[in-house]
Amino acid sequence: MTITKAKGATMRLNHVNLAVTDVEPAKSFLMTYFGLRDLGGGNKNMAFLQDDEGLVLSMFKGKDIAYPATFHIGFIQASEAAVDDINARMKADGIDVAAPERSHGWTFYVRAPGGFLVEVLC
């Protein structure tokens, strides 16, 4: 199947929805370490966050959530120092996170509150 967009039309990813076990800690985590902004309109069962490019990340409380093993969301950073800084802040805050390593970039993964996996890389 071929999809053709209208001439002159632009397309960008508008939003992503995650099911999480606990909305508030997941929301706080994303705001604290990745600068997402709360758009309001949420409650203890849902939240709407936005990044600097306009992408909306919505989260809804679910139960028995099981993402595939390779599923994750990623936050690309401008430099290795920025990756190291986020990693150090998480460790200082008591989050169990491995040190960054050279893989497909300078990267580390961390399990976020709410149950989803986050990659931080440059």
Side-chain angles (χ1 to χ4, degrees):
M1 172 170 56
T2 303
I3 298 175
T4 307
K5 63 182 185 173
K7 185 176 180 177
T10 60
M11 188 180 310
R12 68 179 179 85
L13 184 60
N14 171 266
H15 71 277
V16 174
N17 182 70
L18 295 175
V20 298
T21 57
D22 198 349
V23 172
E24 284 300 319
K27 174 181 152 182
S28 178
F29 177 84
L30 294 168
M31 291 174 67
T32 298
Y33 298 105
F34 304 106
L36 297 183
R37 295 177 310 282
D38 187 355
L39 293 176
N43 57 41
K44 68 178 186 166
N45 295 311
M46 64 182 167
F48 305 96
L49 303 175
Q50 189 172 46
D51 72 5
D52 291 338
E53 301 297 320
L55 177 76
V56 174
L57 178 64
S58 59
M59 292 180 290
F60 286 82
K61 184 176 175 104
K63 59 189 239 190
D64 302 325
I65 299 164
Y67 286 110
T70 58
F71 175 84
H72 64 277
I73 63 172
F75 291 94
I76 197 156
Q77 304 300 307
S79 66
E80 290 184 7
V83 172
D84 291 342
D85 179 63
I86 293 170
N87 186 271
R89 287 176 46 220
M90 287 181 179
K91 284 182 181 176
D93 290 343
I95 296 172
D96 183 20
V97 59
E101 60 183 36
R102 183 98 29 232
S103 180
H104 50 280
W106 188 242
T107 186
F108 71 91
Y109 292 85
V110 60
R111 182 74 52 192
F116 56 97
L117 192 62
V118 174
E119 179 182 16
V120 183
L121 73 152
C122 75

